[in-house]
Structure formats: C-alpha cells, structure tokens
Amino acid sequence: MYRYDDFDHRFVDERVAQYRDQVRRRLAGQLTEDEFKPLRLMNGLYLQMHAYMLRIAIPYGAFDSAKMRKLAHITRKYDRGYGHFTTRQNLQLNWIKLEDTPDILAELASVEMHAIQTSGNSFRNTTTDPFAGVAHDEIEDPRPYAEILRQWSTLHPEFSFLPRKFKIAVSASTEDRAAVKMHDVGLYLRRNDKGEVGFEVMAGGGLGRTPLLSHTIKPFVARRDLLSYLEAVLRVYNQYGRRDNIYKARIKILVQSLGAKKFAEEVEAEWLASDREAAALPDNYVREIASAFALPAYDNTPVDEAAFKRDAAANPAFARWLRRNTFGHKSSNHAVVTISLKPVGETPGDCSADQMDLVADLADELSFGEIRAAYEQNLVLPHVRRDALFGLWKRLEAAGLGTANIGQITDIICCPGMDYCSLATARSIPIAQDLARHMAAKEEAIGTFNIKISGCINACGHHHLGHIGILGVDKNGEEVYQITLGGDAGNNAAVGTIIGPALKSDAVTGGIDTLIDVYLKLRQDGERFPDTYRRIGAKPFKEALYAVA
Amino acid sequence: MQLVTGNRLRDGVPIYFVGNGQWSPSIDAAQLVEDAEADALLAVSQEGAPPLPAVGSVLIEAVRENGHIKPISLRERIRAEGPTTGPMTHQTAIETAAR
C-alpha cells in the first residue's frame, strides 16, 4: 500500500488547518453560505436532507486495517455508528455536524486519509478492480497506475476549473471489474507485440441524464506517455467542453457531438504539439510507486485440501459462500474474499462501526491488513489462505457479514435516494430492501444477476448498467419507477433500454418478479439476462409486465 | 398554507421558522401562514445578524392535521420524520446510534 511521504503529510495537514479556519469563519458569520459552500465541497462536505454528509476518499478502493478502525471510530464518535460504501469506492457518513468536521478531517489525516476532491468539478476518485494485484487473470497490478493518477490529478493546476466532474477507471484483467466503459476516461492495461505494457485509452463514457459508453480513442499509449496523453485529453475537454449548460458539460457530450474519431484527432494533434517529455512517466518512478504495492510474503505451506473439502461438504451454506464470495488468487493457496454488505432486507452498502472493526481485525489476522472497497458496495479481503476460509466465514456469519450473494440478484447496487440525498427525486433503499426480501428465495434458480437502483437521473446507483435497472422519479408528487432492461457493466457493457411506462412504488417488486419469470422461462442454457434480452428482445418482457402491472 | 424550513448551520439538522428570529427542530412549532403571507414570512426569517441559524431556507407547503403540522411533499415528510429505511437491524449499529 502506498504510504504518504513528507510532502503528502504536510499537504493534508495544511489543508485541515485551512479548512478549520474556514469553518471557524463560517460559524462566526464572517463567510456567507455562498462563500463557504465551494470550500466545504472541496473537502467532501455536502449538506443533505437531515445533516451534513462527508464523503471520504478511499483511493482506488484500497485501504488497510488502521484506516478501517479509524473510520469505525469516526462513525461512533461523530456519526450514528455506521457508514455507507459508495459506487466510487468511497465512504459516506450521513449524520455529520459541521462543527465537528475539522476534527474529523484531522483524525483522517492521522491515518493518511482525506476527503479532498470527492466533490465538485474536479478529478474524482480513480477507481479500479477491487481484486487488483491478486486476480489470477491480471496483466499487471493496476494500483501503481491508479496511485500515479491520484498524485497527478490531485490539485492539478491546469485542470482545477474543469467544465464538470471527471472520473477515471483503470482495469488490468481480462474481465473488466471496474465498469471502465462508463467513465469519462477509461484505461485498459494492454501489452503490445513487443510485450511492453501500455494503455488502451477510452473516452466519453458516463451515466446520468445522457448515458453513453466510452470509445477507444487510442488503442495503445505507451506507459511513458500515459500522463502526457491524458493531459492532451483534458486540454481538449477544457477548451471545448461546454460550461453554459451543466447537463451538457461532461466530456461524453463533447465526444458525442464531435464524434469519437474527430475527438481522437483533436487529442492526437494536441498531444503531438505538447511537450511530452515534461509529463513523461519514467520507468524508475513507476518502479518506485509499484514497490509500495509488492505482494506480501505468503505462507506457502500446502493447504490441507482434505479438511477444506470436508468442511465444505458438511456445510452447504459455507459451500455456497465459497462458490459465490471467493475468487481465484494468483497464489493457489489463497483466495480473494468478497464480504457482502447486502444482507437481505438491509441498506445496500451500509456497514456498522462494529462490523468495520471486525473486518479490520480479520484483515490483520488473515489478509496482511489489506482491505478493498468494491464499486458494487461490498468489501474485499484480498489475501486469505484457503484453509482459513471456514473460520473466516463463521466469524462473518456471526456479525451479519456472511451473506453468500455476490453477483446474485440480492447483491443490489443502490444509491441513498430520497431517504438521505437532497438531489434525489424518489426513494431507492426501500425498493432495494423489498426486492431483496422477495427475491432471496429464488436466488439460486436465477443465478448471476444484477439489479441497480438510482433515486434520481444522476444515476449514482448505475441503473443504466443493471441487467434490470430501476430509476425513481417524481411524477406529480408521487414516486414512480422507470424500468430498464439489458444493461451490463463489464466487458460487454451496454446501456439498458426503458421498457415502458414507469411503475408505482408498490408495483415494482411484483413487476420485477414478472420479468424474472419471463427470463427463467425463456433463457437458454447458461444464458445471462442481458444475453436473453438481446436474443428475444423487449416484447415478451413488456407483454408480461404490463399485463399484470 | 406554507412554512419556512432550512438546515441548521452548525449541524445540518432540519429546522423550522417559529417567528421572532427563532427556529425549532420540531415542525409542529413552525409558523404556518396562508400562501399570501408566505413571501413575507420568508423575508422575516432571513433578518438578523449573520450567521443566520438556517442554511438554504425555503418555503414549503404544509397542512395542520389533528394538532400536528404535516408537509405536503414526501421529501419534506422524510426531512421532518427521518429516513424510512429503518435502522440497521445489526444490533450493534442500533446500540451505537443510541449512545
């Protein structure tokens, strides 16, 4: 894990001191809200429906037990004993007092954390594969590049007044687990014919009001040129991106209006004309950053396979958890474990302070202290010996963290919605809770499936990319829910299509149930929902849904 | 009928304008006025030396029912009464929240 150097510590400490003075002046009436708002937003502090909300950055979703314990402590001392992991691999605290925020940021700084650039028209948290560094299908660990991007994009002087927020994702595996194609800029690590590592650069993706998938604008950018090329992308965006209309300000609108080919030509021309050496990424610097992400010293004594199989055979619930919540590790003695934050009937992504402390303890005991936050709003222990899995599962079960539903229909991505968020137009959490309760019994029969729910068009719940997506909107003072079908987030990314008129809130669960029944009846062997949907089209789903709705 | 609400500056809690420069976290304490008087109420609520107690003050529609003031919109009912999601059923979260 990357550790702050002196510069990082000084920078974050200075920011806390500046912010403390800003809060003091606001509370003393020396700053108006209009003057103060941009300052608090630069430090991740929003004002929501019931309180202030602090969004804490977890760079590329990678953190450790010390940071997790600090988060647990902060939620206990300053909030209501729980936090909400987000689709940007960050953590949100929903019940924060303005007067406490300088102390909270100081506490975060003490464990090398902050909330800078988790809001505003800035570079947001660069996201990546939660299995980065340990996934068996990986070209190279993407975390060093995500860290380099974090350093490059933090308070970058040329890009501090972007037309709109800017999100980057990096993936290095054959399977895209970072939803790369829905980002302003997406990076896939690639090897060229000479075996050199570089990046396929994609641009123009994004969700929200105008959901668009990104386009490849350069199939291979050498590692050395990564930052200079991205600077060219940002310069073209900074120059031509619209500032007159917030709904048309994201880079996706620029790429769409220019066309991906023309946009790529503009970037290429800017890049060739720029001083590429000034932003070159030297090999020794990459090596230095990468050294912070070296794999731990694994215990390579053989796993007792007989005992492992015996435990799984004697405990079907454990066997199910193994099948759904563990993933192949580079070391054959180890597994990557995903801890579900989706217990049936609970708020997706919520985690109590005691659960945070337990995960920190388990990380120390079993995973070299390392923890990841996944954009699907779950947690990951990246290095667990396979003969420790049974004990781990039992302890997770006892704490409400043992739900075996990763990638299943109850593993719902869900934004906070109108229960918390001042932008929301409808509630999303109660819909998720009800759906999960209803679908749990069918989960095994359904198999891999994802439902994604947003409480407004901003799409924090990624509803466009759900196999079934649900968007809550306000219609004449009533919450109604628009259903989209056929979305997909990974390698076969697709934006779902709206099936028809929105459903009233009390018709959503029944309506989804009807859609699932159509899928179960018409799917062919091994076919995922988006594949069935693409094969048979919307008609059978539409007919069934509106016959009962 | 309408009333003025905002979020309390120091902690973000929803508060309601009571009159005479006073605000309360209880919506039942709010000054509820006829629509024709609403703009004047909002103007009065913004008087006083900075900082004003409330951030983002707005007028909302509400009615008085059975001795209680009830906002018309669901959003404002959730602001007044809290999230509808229920507490985390995990006991420690509930206990921690109560401390």
Side-chain angles (χ1 to χ4, degrees):
Chain A
M1 172 158 295
Y2 176 79
R3 293 292 173 202
Y4 279 16
D5 61 16
D6 290 344
F7 174 87
D8 297 321
H9 279 293
R10 191 167 59 250
F11 168 71
V12 174
D13 289 344
E14 285 175 0
R15 174 59 81 90
V16 172
Q18 291 160 5
Y19 177 74
R20 190 180 292 282
D21 187 55
Q22 290 155 4
V23 171
R24 180 192 63 74
R25 286 186 283 153
R26 174 67 182 120
L27 291 172
Q30 294 166 2
L31 292 176
T32 65
E33 183 61 15
D34 284 347
E35 291 165 333
F36 179 65
K37 186 176 175 181
L39 301 173
R40 66 170 161 79
L41 288 176
M42 281 179 206
N43 293 286
L45 190 70
Y46 291 72
L47 181 54
Q48 299 285 40
M49 287 170 63
H50 310 289
Y52 290 90
M53 180 273 280
L54 184 66
R55 185 179 293 149
I56 297 166
I58 303 175
Y60 36 94
F63 57 135
D64 62 16
S65 54
K67 291 179 170 65
M68 186 64 119
R69 284 197 187 89
K70 179 60 78 176
L71 294 173
H73 163 73
I74 288 171
T75 64
R76 280 196 192 94
K77 184 171 179 182
Y78 302 103
D79 203 275
R80 293 194 177 182
Y82 67 97
H84 178 76
F85 286 93
T86 76
T87 51
R88 197 110 216 110
Q89 298 178 297
N90 289 323
L91 181 74
Q92 291 184 179
L93 303 181
N94 290 316
W95 302 94
I96 292 297
K97 297 178 174 68
L98 173 63
E99 58 200 8
D100 289 337
T101 50
D103 289 341
I104 296 172
L105 294 185
E107 295 227 31
L108 289 172
S110 73
V111 291
E112 304 181 357
M113 297 187 89
H114 59 70
I116 297 166
Q117 290 188 194
T118 59
S119 174
N121 295 336
S122 60
F123 289 98
R124 301 297 183 86
N125 192 20
T126 294
T127 51
T128 193
D129 186 346
F131 303 163
V134 291
H136 65 76
D137 60 345
E138 185 171 272
I139 292 172
E140 191 175 300
D141 188 347
R143 289 174 300 165
Y145 302 105
E147 171 57 28
I148 286 166
L149 290 173
R150 185 193 71 78
Q151 296 184 12
W152 167 77
S153 64
T154 302
L155 270 59
H156 191 302
E158 190 178 342
F159 307 125
S160 59
F161 183 58
L162 293 172
R164 197 73 180 86
K165 59 187 171 184
F166 203 89
K167 298 175 180 177
I168 301 175
V170 193
S171 174
S173 295
T174 50
E175 182 185 349
D176 176 357
R177 287 179 291 267
V180 166
K181 292 175 186 169
M182 52 146 276
H183 283 77
D184 296 278
V185 160
L187 302 171
Y188 285 119
L189 260 79
R190 302 287 187 217
R191 278 192 199 282
N192 65 10
D193 296 342
K194 297 175 191 167
E196 297 162 336
V197 167
F199 300 86
E200 178 183 351
V201 179
M202 308 190 75
L207 298 178
R209 191 172 299 262
T210 311
L212 293 167
L213 299 176
S214 59
H215 301 267
T216 299
I217 57 168
K218 199 169 178 68
F220 189 84
V221 172
R223 188 168 72 179
R224 182 178 178 77
D225 296 326
L226 174 66
L227 298 184
S228 64
Y229 188 79
L230 290 181
E231 289 193 350
V233 172
L234 266 297
R235 279 188 192 127
V236 170
Y237 173 49
N238 224 0
Q239 184 172 0
Y240 297 118
R242 290 181 60 169
R243 288 182 161 83
D244 61 320
N245 183 338
I246 190 174
Y247 302 119
K248 295 186 184 298
R250 295 286 289 268
I251 195 173
K252 63 188 175 185
I253 302 296
L254 177 63
V255 174
Q256 185 189 41
S257 62
L258 283 180
K261 185 167 177 290
K262 174 69 175 161
F263 179 81
E265 288 169 1
E266 292 279 347
V267 171
E268 189 73 8
E270 173 64 38
W271 183 55
L272 291 174
S274 68
D275 179 1
R276 298 192 295 281
E277 280 308 300
L281 198 52
D283 287 347
N284 60 352
Y285 184 66
V286 175
R287 277 197 298 273
E288 181 188 327
I289 296 293
S291 67
F293 297 94
L295 291 177
Y298 293 124
D299 171 4
N300 284 322
T301 54
V303 169
D304 183 345
E305 298 290 349
F308 183 72
K309 286 177 182 164
R310 201 166 49 240
D311 287 337
N315 297 278
F318 171 56
R320 187 165 56 245
W321 180 83
L322 275 179
R323 197 169 70 247
R324 293 175 174 172
N325 292 43
T326 64
F327 184 79
H329 194 284
K330 281 178 178 171
S331 156
S332 59
N333 286 336
H334 292 76
V336 185
V337 171
T338 301
I339 299 171
S340 173
L341 297 181
K342 317 286 178 63
V344 172
E346 298 278 11
T347 299
D350 274 12
C351 189
S352 74
D354 286 1
Q355 288 173 328
M356 291 181 199
D357 275 338
L358 175 68
V359 172
D361 291 346
L362 292 169
D364 277 342
E365 292 172 38
L366 304 172
S367 186
F368 298 89
E370 285 191 37
I371 306 165
R372 310 279 172 79
Y375 88 85
E376 294 95 340
Q377 301 177 285
N378 294 310
L379 296 173
V380 170
L381 295 178
H383 322 276
V384 182
R385 259 187 73 90
R386 287 170 51 239
D387 46 15
L389 290 171
F390 187 52
L392 168 63
W393 170 73
K394 286 193 285 190
R395 290 172 69 184
L396 291 172
E397 273 278 283
L401 291 170
T403 312
N405 64 349
I406 300 305
Q408 308 297 302
I409 196 164
T410 59
D411 184 9
I412 297 171
I413 288 182
C414 180
C415 74
M418 205 166 71
D419 280 297
Y420 293 97
C421 177
S422 57
L423 295 177
T425 46
R427 287 173 293 169
S428 50
I429 295 169
I431 298 290
Q433 292 171 320
D434 195 52
L435 267 173
R437 284 189 203 102
H438 186 83
M439 294 296 170
K442 294 184 170 186
E443 197 166 65
E444 189 71 30
I446 297 168
T448 300
F449 204 99
N450 66 62
I451 291 179
K452 303 183 180 185
I453 309 175
S454 302
C456 80
I457 194 65
N458 291 306
C460 293
H462 296 186
H463 64 276
H464 300 295
L465 302 183
H467 295 174
I468 293 180
I470 301 173
L471 167 64
V473 295
D474 176 283
K475 186 179 178 187
N476 303 322
E478 184 183 11
E479 296 168 298
V480 295
Y481 294 85
Q482 214 171 64
I483 309 296
T484 55
L485 301 184
D488 213 344
N491 297 46
N492 302 311
V495 172
T497 50
I498 297 170
I499 186 169
L503 305 180
K504 293 187 174 185
S505 57
D506 59 2
V508 172
T509 297
I512 303 301
D513 199 32
T514 300
L515 296 170
I516 296 294
D517 284 344
V518 174
Y519 165 59
L520 293 179
K521 189 175 161 193
L522 298 180
R523 75 176 169 188
Q524 295 178 345
D525 286 348
E527 205 173 45
R528 297 156 64 248
F529 182 86
D531 304 323
T532 303
Y533 178 73
R534 280 191 269 276
R535 180 172 57 78
I536 67 176
K539 193 165 175 246
F541 294 102
K542 198 169 182 169
E543 285 174 354
L545 179 62
Y546 294 106
V548 300
Chain B
M1 299 189 80
Q2 297 185 48
L3 57 82
V4 177
T5 181
N7 288 75
R8 192 158 57 197
L9 170 63
R10 64 183 171 81
D11 59 9
V13 167
I15 50 175
Y16 301 89
F17 185 57
V18 174
N20 297 321
Q22 300 299 305
W23 296 73
S24 169
S26 167
I27 191 169
D28 285 337
Q31 188 173 351
L32 189 63
V33 298
E34 296 295 337
D35 292 349
E37 302 164 23
D39 288 341
L41 183 70
L42 180 61
V44 169
S45 75
Q46 301 304 296
E47 293 173 353
L52 294 174
V55 178
S57 299
V58 290
L59 288 162
I60 64 165
E61 292 185 329
V63 292
R64 196 180 296 277
E65 276 182 7
N66 303 322
H68 295 286
I69 294 177
K70 191 176 174 187
I72 300 291
S73 76
L74 176 61
R75 165 186 298 282
E76 289 302 329
R77 288 205 296 277
I78 294 172
R79 275 186 80 240
E81 296 166 15
T84 63
T85 58
M88 289 187 73
T89 52
H90 190 63
Q91 194 56 32
T92 51
I94 299 166
E95 289 166 0
T96 306
R99 280 202 285 268

